[in-house]
């Protein structure tokens, strides 16, 4: 009897070990699948493709805002680049399922609405025309005479690009003098 009960205990211990190994293996597989799912999902800004999408969105936002700034519309409304948070707008675009192809138009409409809210005298027709033609609403010399100063948040992905542009502008000024 002692021999059979000993064999029975060994058999139960072996079954318990096998069960533990099976549970551990399933947990590892589940963790691996979740990790792969996070990598392939591009909708969040934490996934590798999501970070690139956010960077591209920031570049698009900067370009649109620069067009409005050059036309003088942002300054007239008392707005700066900092009034438009890239991460908030990106999340809004993602929640509304805005395609990256139409980000520029979508951002333009957001900025136009903000400008209208700040300065009700501004005509959206003029803003739309200047954005479509690429020509500023005010003359270039008038824009240069006012010499607006723009403050851009330095935590956006295009920081190096802006620094390079500023460096080039300084070089041109030195060459002119």
């Amino acid at each position: 009897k002692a021999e059979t009960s000993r064999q029975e205990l060994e058999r139960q211990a072996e079954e318990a070990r096998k069960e533990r190994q099976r549970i551990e293996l399933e947990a590892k597989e589940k963790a691996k699948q979740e990790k792969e799912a996070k990598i392939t999902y591009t909708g969040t800004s934490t996934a590798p493709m999501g970070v690139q999408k956010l960077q591209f969105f920031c570049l698009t936002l900067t370009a649109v805002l620069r067009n409005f700034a050059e036309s003088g519309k942002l300054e007239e409304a008392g707005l700066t680049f900092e009034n438009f948070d890239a991460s908030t707008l990106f999340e809004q675009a993602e929640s509304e399922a805005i395609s990256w192809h139409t980000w520029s138009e979508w951002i333009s409409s957001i900025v136009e609405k903000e400008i209208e809210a700040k300065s009700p005298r501004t005509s959206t027709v003029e803003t739309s025309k200047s954005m479509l033609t690429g020509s500023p609403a005010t003359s270039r010399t008038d824009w240069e005479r006012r010499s607006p100063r723009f403050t851009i948040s330095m935590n956006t992905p295009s920081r190096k690009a802006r620094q390079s542009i500023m460096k080039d502008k300084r070089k041109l000024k030195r060459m002119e003098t």
Side-chain angles (χ1 to χ4, degrees):
K1 272 190 171 181
E3 187 65 32
T4 55
S5 65
R6 186 172 162 215
Q7 288 175 347
E8 181 68 15
L9 288 174
E10 288 177 358
R11 186 184 60 75
Q12 287 176 354
E14 184 64 31
E15 286 177 4
R17 262 187 257 123
K18 286 182 182 178
E19 182 68 17
R20 235 182 293 124
Q21 287 176 347
R22 184 185 62 78
I23 291 171
E24 289 174 0
L25 184 64
E26 285 177 0
K28 285 181 183 178
E29 276 189 26
K30 186 176 180 181
K32 184 179 177 183
Q33 289 173 350
E34 287 176 356
K35 187 176 180 180
E36 289 174 353
K38 282 183 182 177
I39 290 173
T40 57
Y41 181 68
T42 60
T44 64
S45 59
T46 57
M49 288 300 293
V51 172
Q52 289 179 346
K53 272 179 83 172
L54 179 60
Q55 289 173 343
F56 183 56
F57 184 85
C58 288
L59 291 172
T60 306
L61 174 64
T62 303
V64 169
L65 290 175
R66 185 165 289 139
N67 285 341
F68 275 101
E70 287 177 358
S71 71
K73 299 291 183 187
L74 281 182
E75 187 178 307
E76 289 173 12
L79 297 170
T80 64
F81 281 53
E82 290 176 347
N83 293 101
F84 302 94
D85 183 40
S87 58
T88 306
L89 287 173
F90 178 72
E91 289 173 10
Q92 185 179 348
E94 287 290 303
S95 68
E96 293 179 19
I98 305 295
S99 169
W100 68 271
H101 297 282
T102 58
W103 280 347
S104 182
E105 293 84 12
W106 182 78
I107 293 170
S108 293
S109 70
I110 297 285
V111 173
E112 285 175 353
K113 288 176 189 172
E114 191 69 25
I115 289 173
E116 283 180 19
K118 297 287 182 178
S119 60
R121 290 176 284 146
T122 306
S123 166
T124 56
V125 175
E126 285 179 23
T127 305
S128 299
K129 283 181 183 176
S130 86
M131 291 304 293
L132 290 173
T133 60
S135 63
T138 57
S139 69
R140 182 77 174 154
T141 54
D142 184 33
W143 179 74
E144 287 174 344
R145 190 169 15 90
R146 287 182 288 171
S147 68
R149 301 279 181 211
F150 302 113
T151 55
I152 300 172
S153 175
M154 288 306 185
N155 60 2
T156 58
S158 60
R159 178 181 176 189
K160 287 185 179 179
R162 286 193 307 275
Q163 288 174 342
S164 175
I165 291 169
M166 292 306 292
K167 217 183 256 186
D168 291 344
K169 285 182 178 179
R170 281 186 227 120
K171 282 182 185 176
L172 284 173
K173 275 190 175 181
R174 278 189 228 129
M175 290 168 50
E176 288 175 356
T177 58

